[in-house]
Amino acid sequence: MANQRTVAVLGPGGTGGLLAALLSRSGHRVLCLAREDTADVLRRTGITVRSAQFGEFTAPVEADTELREEVDACLITVKHTALDAALTRIPPATLGDALVVPLLNGVEHPAALRARYRADRVAPAVIRVESTRVAPGVIEHGSPFTEIDLAGDAVPRDRLDALAALLDAAGPTARTTGDETATLWAKMAFLAPFALLTTRYGLPLGEVRTRHRDELEALVAETAAVSRACGAPARALTRYDAFPPGAKSSMQRDAEAGRPLELDAIGGALLRAAERHGVPAPVAERLVRELRDAGH
């Protein structure tokens, strides 16, 4: 293909595996970076996606344990709890001029990535999707949407626009936004109450919003106040009421599976921002403390 690009995907799990397969299907060269056992499976079988939005298909990908060549972009789709270890797979000298695109929860990771890679090539993004890796190379995409907002205040706009167009053509709805802080906090302001409450009580969102309505309202208000103090717009409670009642947060799913939680990246980051701006957040403080006391 004349327009073929080479894209690395660090962490081909639920999100990364879906994007890797979609990019490969649309004609791009995709290099997945993972542990040797996972990389071996991907080399042999590719990635199979089962999706109501995109259909069922299998796409070939290349795979390795470390980036050994230049690429056009590198999507970072690991959990925040695995970020430091995973970044050893991407040597800064090898990455060079490529865009670094973290699709992580939270708001603090861009600073860490800019300390390691070229600051003007780190393009934080947020993705709205429900997608799960059920086995190495097998992805079940459950949501009827896949939406990506791509930002990066210091990244040349033409680079951002080109990547957004590439992703959009592959299937997801992708766009470039003009404000990195607003983009990251738009997701954080929704995710923090969703994640903290569903995980604390072990309930899907529908039961949280009925049985723990007062807490939800208070936590949404706290998070909105922190978001505004950080320079981002607040989010309304109506977004939670519009969500499917059976929805679970990724943090809740991690707790159910006994995996490490992104508690510090979400709850901890929220509390640090609240303290920095002098915004009271007693409900968030209590929920984070209770989750930590429970061994998370």
Side-chain angles (χ1 to χ4, degrees), residues 259-283:
R259 293 187 291 262
L261 304 191
E262 293 183 305
L263 182 58
D264 187 66
I266 298 172
L270 174 65
L271 294 180
R272 286 187 286 274
E275 182 177 9
R276 209 160 48 240
H277 293 282
V279 177
V283 176

Side-chain angles (χ1 to χ4, degrees), residues 11-13 32-46 61 63-65 133 135-137:
C32 292
L33 304 172
R35 296 192 307 264
E36 179 57 49
D37 54 345
T38 298
D40 182 60
V41 172
L42 298 185
R43 292 187 202 106
R44 290 186 287 105
T45 68
V61 295
D64 205 339
T65 58
R133 188 190 87 153

Side-chain angles (χ1 to χ4, degrees), residues 197-254:
L197 285 168
T198 57
T199 306
R200 169 63 182 85
Y201 294 112
L203 297 172
L205 182 57
E207 292 189 57
V208 165
R209 68 191 179 208
T210 54
R211 294 168 58 179
H212 300 277
R213 184 75 181 188
D214 290 346
E215 278 181 274
L216 176 61
E217 291 178 356
L219 187 54
V220 168
E222 289 178 7
T223 308
V226 176
S227 180
R228 285 193 297 268
C230 292
R235 294 290 155 180
L237 186 66
T238 53
R239 293 188 66 205
Y240 301 90
D241 290 330
F243 244 61
K248 294 182 177 183
S249 66
S250 59
M251 186 188 290
Q252 180 186 1
R253 293 185 186 279
D254 286 339

Side-chain angles (χ1 to χ4, degrees), residues 19 45 54-55 58 65 82-83 96 111 123 134 149 152 159 166 186 188 195 210 216 230 239-240 242 253 268 293:
L19 295 178
T45 68
F54 302 118
T58 298
T65 58
L83 181 60
V134 295
D149 290 343
R159 295 284 302 268
L166 180 150
M188 179 71 155
T210 54
L216 176 61
C230 292
R239 293 188 66 205
Y240 301 90
R253 293 185 186 279
D293 289 347

Side-chain angles (χ1 to χ4, degrees), residues 92-115:
T94 306
L95 193 62
D97 189 51
L99 288 186
V100 179
V101 187
L103 293 112
L104 278 72
N105 293 325
V107 294
E108 296 177 336
H109 55 275
L113 290 168
R114 290 189 172 111

Side-chain angles (χ1 to χ4, degrees), residues 119-168:
D120 61 348
R121 293 295 182 266
V122 175
V126 299
I127 185 167
R128 290 174 289 277
V129 68
E130 182 182 346
S131 187
T132 304
R133 188 190 87 153
V134 295
V138 182
I139 307 298
E140 290 189 354
H141 171 220
S143 59
F145 53 82
T146 307
E147 301 169 348
I148 299 172
D149 290 343
L150 186 64
D153 292 346
V155 180
R157 184 61 182 251
D158 61 332
R159 295 284 302 268
L160 292 176
D161 289 342
L163 180 58
L166 180 150
L167 291 167
D168 193 81

Side-chain angles (χ1 to χ4, degrees), residues 7-19:
V7 180
V9 177
L10 177 64
T15 297
L18 175 65
L19 295 178

Side-chain angles (χ1 to χ4, degrees), residues 5-6 43 67 92 279 287:
R5 296 291 182 264
T6 299
R43 292 187 202 106
L67 185 66
V279 177
L287 290 168

